[in-house]
Amino acid sequence: MSTTAPAAPTKGTPRASVPRRRGGWNRFAHKGSPYAYIAPFFLLFGLVGLFPLLYTVNVAMHDWDLLKGQGDFVGFGNFVEILGDEMFWNSIRNTLSIFLLSAIPQLAVALLIAYLLDRGLRAPTFWRMSVLIPFVVTPVAVALIFSSIFNEADGLVNNLLNLIGIADQQWKQDTFLSHIAIATMVNFRWTGYNALILLAAMQAVPRDLYESAAIDGAGAARRFFSITIPSIRPTLIFVIITATIGGLQIFAEPRLFDVSTAGGIGGSERQFQTTVLFLWELAFFRRNFGEASAVAILLFLLIVGIGLINFLISRRIATGNGPRVSRRELRRARRNGEHA
């Protein structure tokens, strides 16, 4: 059996393309260009984010007056003073109470609104824009409007309660009632915003999963908890984390809720003074920047800790037994598509 040698390429015949090795500069540009694209963000973050954070640590280590400037080095003395201050712990309790009263109902209602908007309502653009209107209103306007609504003398809420035989409530004097009123402001402004974020995630879920689950007899609640929640888990975790950060940094609502009578420090007996409001009082009323910076660092650690706990809990809840069911439904949907 004879073998034939490959014919030599004639003149004009194109040669097989051979990949060229990248030169040093081309290799560097290829691998380094992504870092160059994201570098402006990190430079800006270092300028307006990281540097102020490190500078706050430096201020917290000194006896720092608002007008006189830097004083003596005190080390952790400011932290010791703050941790021994009962008003600090009162602000922590108020912040956590308002956070729980606002974050939990807010996320639950946002999930429900997003689910209803995802069901194919008529005029969907109108309803999506409607739930976003409260977010457009400035926090100052929201605080002033709800401060009037919860007014103890002639507020709308007390007038409605009087119609059903309930006496006037001390919304601005009672600790728990004032927390409910402030949480209502927060929920009014942020529920629609979070609902639209969750809606965008829900619309990315394959419809074949819902159709296959409905054919198998799964009800609406079963489809929601076994398909929707596991599928939007990353977005749900993001919303929970952002709600945690915003809820623990609340300032405008308690600042303006009773500013006319309590001076904006969180009530006559500080019954709704949050940690950021306590920080503001230390910095600009007492002019003690050192202790105010210590409060800021302690609040930062609290937010990181609670955010981490929320991340772990939400990840466990969102995972549950849902992903296993979701993958099974996905395989069934694909088989149904092949047989169709």
Side-chain angles (χ1 to χ4, degrees), residues 57-283:
V57 176
N58 177 59
V59 175
M61 296 292 181
H62 293 80
D63 185 9
W64 202 294
D65 185 83
L66 173 63
L67 300 179
K68 298 179 181 179
Q70 180 177 346
D72 298 333
F73 179 80
V74 295
F76 292 99
N78 288 326
F79 293 91
V80 174
E81 291 291 334
I82 290 299
L83 293 176
D85 193 342
E86 175 58 28
M87 286 192 296
F88 169 73
W89 294 108
N90 174 69
S91 69
I92 291 292
R93 290 191 294 268
N94 293 337
T95 300
L96 293 177
S97 175
I98 296 173
F99 164 69
L100 293 176
L101 290 172
S102 60
I104 296 176
Q106 177 188 144
L107 295 176
V109 175
L111 267 174
L112 177 61
I113 294 175
Y115 181 76
L116 295 177
L117 292 176
D118 191 44
R119 294 301 90 193
L121 299 176
R122 294 183 178 180
T125 304
F126 169 77
W127 295 111
R128 294 169 190 172
M129 293 299 297
S130 298
V131 299
L132 194 61
I133 289 177
F135 179 72
V136 180
V137 183
T138 61
V140 174
V142 172
L144 293 177
I145 292 172
F146 277 87
S147 178
S148 176
I149 291 176
F150 287 100
N151 190 6
E152 298 169 351
D154 55 353
L156 175 63
V157 176
N158 276 342
N159 289 334
L160 294 177
L161 292 177
N162 290 333
L163 295 178
I164 60 177
I166 300 178
D168 292 343
Q169 300 296 315
Q170 302 295 320
W171 294 101
K172 297 182 180 181
Q173 300 300 323
D174 185 80
T175 300
F176 182 69
L177 292 179
S178 64
H179 293 180
I180 292 179
I182 296 173
T184 304
M185 304 182 200
V186 179
N187 293 336
F188 171 78
R189 187 165 186 266
W190 288 99
T191 300
Y193 174 82
N194 290 327
L196 287 185
I197 296 179
L198 295 172
L199 173 62
M202 290 181 183
Q203 291 183 331
V205 180
R207 299 300 165 180
D208 294 341
L209 298 179
Y210 296 110
E211 295 173 1
S212 299
I215 293 174
D216 290 344
R222 176 65 175 172
R223 295 196 299 268
F224 179 76
F225 288 104
S226 296
I227 297 176
T228 304
I229 295 297
S231 299
I232 66 171
R233 183 183 65 182
T235 304
L236 185 61
I237 293 175
F238 168 78
V239 170
I240 291 175
I241 296 300
T242 54
T244 300
I245 296 174
L248 295 176
Q249 292 181 341
I250 183 173
F251 172 76
E253 289 82 358
R255 170 75 175 88
L256 299 173
F257 183 55
D258 197 20
V259 65
S260 59
T261 58
I265 61 173
S268 57
E269 298 180 0
R270 292 179 170 82
Q271 61 269 21
F272 52 88
Q273 184 182 62
T274 59
T275 305
V276 178
L277 194 54
F278 176 63
L279 185 156
W280 175 81
E281 180 186 0
L282 281 175

